[in-house]
């Protein structure tokens, strides 16, 4: 179930004295004030804060005033309170946003690290490496298969072709078993292997 919504959190509470209530006419009433802030949550994790709200309530009649409707004298007192002790948004209200940003930073770092590692594998291939291959035998179709490196010398890379191919990249992991490699062989120069990698024909490389 996809759970999300908006919640409110009280940031500060207090009491103002000797104020006039415009509703009941009391001249020396007490008014309780509350500073609060709403935030959007996803699965009860705060994602980002929304606007703040201030409310005052007359102790005599129970009348509540919000934001711009707060009597001028009470609003002046509240501004003085905020000037002395600013009402700041709690950091935890950004928890979800921080998690999301950190995830993308991690994913970007992992991607860069993966690219560097694969670049090293392409420059110095080794026996046992597996190349994940993308090809388009027909104009509107794409298939995936693998090549296993059997031998490498100064000039060439010797591979055994996988006898099977699949139409989805995620399915290629199901054809990695040894039985899918039989007698089909190929020889490529190191330069050709690098060209295939640059053209994204070799989409990934694994090394045991």
């Amino acid at each position: 179930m996809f759970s999300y919504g908006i919640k409110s959190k009280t940031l500060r509470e207090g009491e103002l004295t000797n104020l006039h209530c415009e509703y009941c006419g009391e001249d020396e009433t007490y008014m309780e004030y509350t500073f609060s802030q709403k935030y959007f949550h996803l699965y009860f994790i705060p994602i980002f804060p929304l606007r703040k709200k201030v409310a005052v309530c007359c102790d005599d009649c129970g009348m509540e005033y919000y934001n711009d409707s707060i009597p001028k004298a009470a609003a002046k007192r509240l501004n003085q309170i905020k000037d002395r002790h600013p009402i700041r948004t709690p950091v935890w209200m950004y928890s979800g946003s921080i998690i999301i940003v950190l995830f993308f930073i991690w994913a970007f770092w992992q991607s860069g690290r993966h690219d560097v590692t694969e670049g090293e594998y392409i420059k110095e291939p080794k026996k046992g490496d597996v190349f994940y291959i993308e090809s388009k035998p027909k104009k509107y179709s794409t298939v995936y298969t693998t090549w296993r490196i059997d031998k490498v010398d100064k000039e060439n890379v010797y591979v055994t072709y996988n006898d099977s191919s699949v139409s989805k990249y995620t399915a290629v992991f199901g054809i990695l078993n040894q039985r899918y490699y039989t007698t089909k062989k190929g020889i490529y120069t190191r330069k050709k292997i690098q060209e295939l990698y640059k053209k994204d024909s070799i989409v990934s490389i694994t090394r045991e």
Side-chain angles (χ1 to χ4, degrees):
M1 181 179 178
F2 193 66
S3 177
Y4 64 94
I6 294 174
K7 288 188 175 182
S8 181
K9 174 66 176 178
T10 297
L11 303 180
R12 187 176 299 169
E13 295 177 306
E15 191 174 65
L16 305 173
T17 60
N18 300 321
L19 289 170
H20 171 74
C21 177
E22 296 177 353
Y23 185 77
C24 67
E26 182 65 39
D27 286 327
E28 295 184 353
T29 187
Y30 289 84
M31 288 190 176
E32 296 179 353
Y33 68 84
T34 303
F35 289 97
S36 61
Q37 186 165 15
K38 293 182 177 181
Y39 62 92
F40 178 79
H41 70 87
L42 181 64
Y43 291 107
F44 306 105
I45 299 174
I47 303 298
F48 54 82
L50 302 172
R51 68 185 183 89
K52 294 185 178 77
K53 183 178 75 174
V54 58
V56 297
C57 178
C58 174
D59 278 357
D60 286 292
C61 67
M63 180 63 182
E64 294 183 343
Y65 302 89
Y66 298 95
N67 297 328
D68 295 338
S69 67
I70 295 173
K72 290 183 179 180
K76 183 177 180 180
R77 296 265 198 94
L78 292 172
N79 286 333
Q80 291 172 346
I81 292 172
K82 288 191 293 182
D83 288 341
R84 291 195 300 268
H85 306 286
I87 312 296
R88 294 186 174 89
T89 298
V91 175
W92 60 261
M93 286 191 181
Y94 296 94
S95 299
S97 297
I98 292 171
I99 291 171
I100 292 170
V101 169
L102 290 176
F103 171 78
F104 278 106
I105 291 173
W106 175 83
F108 180 78
W109 176 76
Q110 283 291 98
S111 176
R113 183 184 176 192
H114 181 69
D115 289 343
V116 170
T117 302
E118 287 193 340
E120 293 173 350
Y121 291 170
I122 282 293
K123 289 180 180 178
E124 295 296 333
K126 291 184 178 181
K127 179 180 178 180
D129 287 356
V130 176
F131 292 166
Y132 294 73
I133 307 299
E134 176 183 302
S135 61
K136 295 184 178 181
K138 295 181 181 180
K139 187 175 182 181
Y140 298 107
S141 65
T142 300
V143 296
Y144 300 92
T145 188
T146 59
W147 300 347
R148 186 192 64 210
I149 296 181
D150 297 325
K151 178 184 173 183
V152 179
D153 59 29
K154 291 183 179 181
E155 298 293 332
N156 300 312
V157 177
Y158 303 80
V159 304
T160 297
Y161 298 121
N162 193 317
D163 293 334
S164 300
S165 61
V166 292
S167 58
K168 293 182 179 180
Y169 178 74
T170 52
V172 79
F173 301 101
I175 58 170
L176 296 178
N177 192 279
Q178 183 67 27
R179 69 177 184 271
Y180 292 103
Y181 299 93
T182 54
T183 59
K184 296 179 181 179
K185 305 288 184 178
I187 303 174
Y188 298 88
T189 64
R190 286 173 174 260
K191 183 178 179 181
K192 182 62 177 179
I193 291 293
Q194 292 181 22
E195 289 176 357
L196 291 172
Y197 181 70
K198 289 178 181 179
K199 292 178 180 178
D200 288 331
S201 294
I202 299 176
V203 295
S204 187
I205 307 157
T206 57
R207 176 174 292 176
E208 295 181 355

